[in-house]
Amino acid sequence: MSFRIASWNINSVRARIGIVERLLREQAPDVLCLQETKCEDALFPHASFAAMGYPHVYPAGQRMHHGVAIVSKVALTPNNRFDWQDNGEARHVGVRLPNGVLLENVYVPAGGDIPDRTVNPKFGQKLDFLGRMTRWSEGLREPSIVLGDFNIAPLPEDVWDHKALLDVVSHTPVEVETLAALQSSHGWADLGRLFVPPPARLYTWWSYRAADWAASNRGRRLDHVWCSPEVRGSARAVTTLVAARGWEKPSDHVPLIADFDF
DNA sequence: ATGGTGGAGCGTCCA
């Protein structure tokens, strides 16, 4: 058996329902985890997903900003909605898969522009979010997958220019250290890098502000799929669907697709 | 040099 889980920061699920349908048609994941849905739950386009064979929707949205959702071919068990931001923002939804594995869909805050919590509270919130995730992770006792937009590119090979981005939020040493503490708190396996180890470059995001994203290729690996030690042996492949950055009216993130043998 | 783009929804905020 093969179980396919996709993760995608969609930057408005309503504005981009067309390319969501394209992903479902072409990649046929069993489960799709979305971030930045940008709509409250009552406005989530359930009918579009049902028509594509995904009638099971577990949204955690809010008006205008942020928002996550899990959609699925088969029924899942709602499990939790953590507020790791501690301010009510919709940035997490968790379910239990049919095989019992927990799936946690996370949208880590971007953190603003200035990497200093004394002048930019959003940067502190980002680090504190990861701190709360770490305390959750330390107490976790069940096989789990945690994935989504982590808004941090941890490795030098996860950005187009390591030195140029050391002071840029998403690649600063304190963010990388904080993410490493989260990863080591439960022995999380970084599946993206399990299948595409350094020194290969690997990106999941390209800014809208480039004249030609493909030509300049100034990408960052902000999206991640991690699994707990019990699940690692079931992982078969992880794909970053780079071509989706060139689809019509694209998201600035591309889908991550993980295949498991369960 | 402090840009550049995009979505939500009508001010700017968020990314």
Side-chain angles (χ1 to χ4, degrees), chain A residues 121-141:
Chain A
K122 288 182 183 178
F123 192 71
Q125 282 184 305
K126 181 178 193 175
L127 300 177
D128 294 343
F129 186 106
L130 294 165
R132 293 187 190 92
M133 274 189 80
T134 301
R135 291 196 283 281
W136 158 80
S137 165
E138 288 165 346
L140 191 60
R141 293 292 177 266

Side-chain angles (χ1 to χ4, degrees), chain A residues 48-183:
Chain A
S48 299
F49 286 94
M52 294 290 294
Y54 295 79
H56 306 283
V57 179
Y58 308 89
Q62 67 180 85
R63 183 179 143 88
M64 291 181 69
H65 301 305
H66 324 306
V68 293
I70 297 174
V71 302
S72 175
K73 291 181 175 177
V74 300
L76 308 174
T77 307
N79 192 53
N80 47 41
R81 288 188 184 181
F82 295 127
D83 182 6
W84 285 317
Q85 176 89 317
D86 198 30
N87 69 355
E89 290 181 1
R91 295 180 176 277
H92 168 268
V93 63
V95 297
R96 188 180 298 278
L97 300 176
N99 68 346
V101 171
L102 296 176
L103 175 64
E104 314 290 353
N105 177 17
V106 185
Y107 178 36
V108 176
D113 289 332
I114 303 167
D116 179 346
R117 69 159 71 222
T118 63
V119 295
N120 170 24
K122 288 182 183 178
F123 192 71
Q125 282 184 305
K126 181 178 193 175
L127 300 177
D128 294 343
F129 186 106
L130 294 165
R132 293 187 190 92
M133 274 189 80
T134 301
R135 291 196 283 281
W136 158 80
S137 165
E138 288 165 346
L140 191 60
R141 293 292 177 266
E142 296 184 82
S144 301
I145 297 166
V146 55
L147 57 70
D149 178 2
F150 292 6
N151 265 314
I152 296 175
L155 304 179
E157 298 85 359
D158 291 337
V159 296
W160 64 279
D161 186 330
H162 171 60
K163 286 184 179 175
L165 271 70
L166 281 172
D167 293 325
V168 175
V169 173
S170 73
H171 194 60
T172 64
V174 65
E175 288 171 277
V176 171
E177 289 164 13
T178 305
L179 188 66
L182 169 60
Q183 187 175 0

Side-chain angles (χ1 to χ4, degrees), chain A residues 206-230:
Chain A
W206 290 260
S207 173
Y208 284 124
R209 297 174 186 175
D212 185 332
W213 71 274
S216 56
N217 196 24
R218 296 184 168 189
R220 307 179 200 171
R221 187 171 71 109
L222 304 180
D223 302 271
H224 302 274
V225 184
W226 289 0
C227 71
S228 63
E230 313 93 307

